[in-house]
Amino acid sequence: MAPELREPTFLILTALADAPRHGYGVMQEVERLSAGRTRLRTGTLYAALDRLSDEGLIEVAREEVVEGRLRRYYRLTGAGGTSLDAESRRRMSVSREALRRLRVAGGYA
Amino acid sequence: MSDPGRRYRRWLRLYPEPYRTARGEEILSTLLDSAGGGGPAWRDLLTLVLHAARVRIGLILRRPGRPPLPQPVRLVTWLLVGSAAAAWANAVFDRGYPMHRGPGPGPIVAGFIFLGLNFLLQARRRWLFMLVIGVFGLFTASILVDTRSIVAGLVLASPYVLCALLLIAGRKRYMRAISASA
């Protein structure tokens, strides 16, 4: 079984699920996905990107220079997609169960 | 270049040169984008310092391009580095008994042994890996013989037993990492 992903890793992989993004794009998307609860700092982001690249979950898609600034775009690899899919299903199943139990307890959901 | 750009570039010098060459411009762009028009945020700088330290330590412990060591083996390497640091700190700060001049060479030698074992693991050789497990077994056996009580001996030798068990747990993945980097 694939190891459980920590919240920032899960959010970064989710941010890259639909399209390649550069560093700042990932930061913005993570903040949006988490409704402002998770704000990645630059050092934290690059530590995560290094680790995810080492683990083969993401890869560089392309590079471009915009207004003199280098932007490197990252995308999910096949292994990254599989890992995100497994983690999403695991979280969904736990959430469903939590809601079911709350309904049984009455008054919620 | 703008003022924040110049300031950030100074902070990027914390990274080792090869990493800075590969990622410096990209990180600088991200820092400038996230700063907007303002100056460097202290939280950004703090995470940058921590990340740079991590990259430096990572470069010492493994060459870039090599697959990382499996988690249990990596944990043992960190335990060995920590033990070496603790042994040397003991040698520096412990002045020994009043009648002695200092703590003697024991902790200094122990520090070198711990660091040596770490380098044997980093060397990624099948037989050196087995040798390190054997050394932990030897440490355990010598403590058991010294204490003459199995329970007390196992308690005293527990760090070595733990290291040996971690290495055995990561053995298969370690061998795979060796094959991948060969």
Side-chain angles (χ1 to χ4, degrees):
Chain A
M1 184 188 283
E4 204 172 293
L5 298 179
R6 290 169 59 203
E7 188 69 10
T9 307
F10 179 64
L11 288 168
I12 291 172
L13 293 182
T14 306
L16 295 174
D18 59 343
R21 286 192 161 80
H22 55 79
Y24 184 56
V26 172
M27 286 162 96
Q28 285 180 310
E29 193 60 15
V30 163
E31 196 168 349
R32 199 185 64 75
L33 283 166
S34 66
R37 284 192 307 277
T38 302
R39 190 170 173 210
L40 292 176
R41 297 286 171 180
T42 310
T44 320
L45 170 75
Y46 281 95
L49 292 179
D50 285 350
R51 185 170 46 77
L52 293 171
S53 300
D54 276 351
E55 290 171 0
L57 301 184
I58 62 168
E59 64 189 2
V60 174
R62 65 175 192 276
E63 292 177 1
E64 61 186 32
V65 177
V66 179
E67 294 169 9
R69 294 180 187 176
L70 173 69
R71 288 188 164 164
R72 191 167 282 148
Y73 287 76
Y74 296 88
R75 68 175 166 221
L76 285 189
T77 61
T82 307
S83 179
L84 179 61
D85 182 73
E87 180 68 15
S88 306
R89 285 174 197 282
R90 191 192 64 76
R91 287 180 182 230
M92 202 153 60
S93 126
V94 174
S95 302
R96 272 206 199 111
E97 181 59 17
L99 291 172
R100 189 191 67 76
R101 289 182 186 204
L102 285 170
R103 268 197 302 273
V104 170
Y108 298 98
Chain B
M1 175 169 287
S2 62
D3 233 13
R6 224 173 275 133
R7 278 201 295 255
Y8 278 134
R9 211 176 267 284
R10 275 202 292 269
W11 284 93
L12 288 177
R13 287 190 201 139
L14 291 170
Y15 285 97
E17 205 274 329
Y19 190 88
R20 205 165 59 233
T21 307
R23 305 291 288 272
E25 287 303 315
E26 180 193 357
I27 295 178
L28 180 67
S29 300
T30 304
L31 283 166
L32 289 169
D33 283 340
S34 60
W42 71 267
R43 280 196 186 124
D44 266 327
L45 295 180
L46 179 68
T47 62
L48 211 66
V49 171
L50 293 175
H51 182 223
R54 202 168 153 178
V55 171
R56 281 189 181 276
I57 292 168
L59 277 185
I60 292 168
L61 291 183
R62 77 180 179 91
R63 280 189 240 142
R66 280 177 157 192
L69 292 176
Q71 195 73 35
V73 180
R74 222 178 321 155
L75 186 57
V76 174
T77 63
W78 281 111
L79 286 173
L80 286 167
V81 171
S83 304
W88 285 333
N90 182 32
V92 170
F93 295 112
D94 181 8
R95 307 301 344 140
Y97 294 107
M99 64 285 281
H100 296 133
R101 285 195 169 174
I108 298 171
V109 173
F112 277 114
I113 291 175
F114 291 138
L115 221 53
L117 290 175
N118 173 34
F119 283 116
L120 293 187
L121 289 177
Q122 304 293 341
R124 295 169 189 245
R125 294 279 181 280
R126 218 170 272 261
W127 67 276
L128 287 177
F129 183 79
M130 301 314 284
L131 179 73
V132 175
I133 296 180
V135 170
F136 284 129
L138 213 64
F139 285 166
T140 307
S142 82
I143 290 172
L144 285 175
V145 169
D146 267 1
T147 50
R148 291 187 188 139
S149 152
I150 299 268
V151 177
L154 279 177
V155 170
L156 284 175
S158 56
Y160 303 124
V161 175
L162 174 73
C163 285
L165 290 177
L166 283 170
L167 290 182
I168 291 167
R171 189 174 56 88
K172 278 188 186 158
R173 280 177 285 159
Y174 182 87
M175 298 308 171
R176 272 204 300 273
I178 292 177
S179 314
S181 58

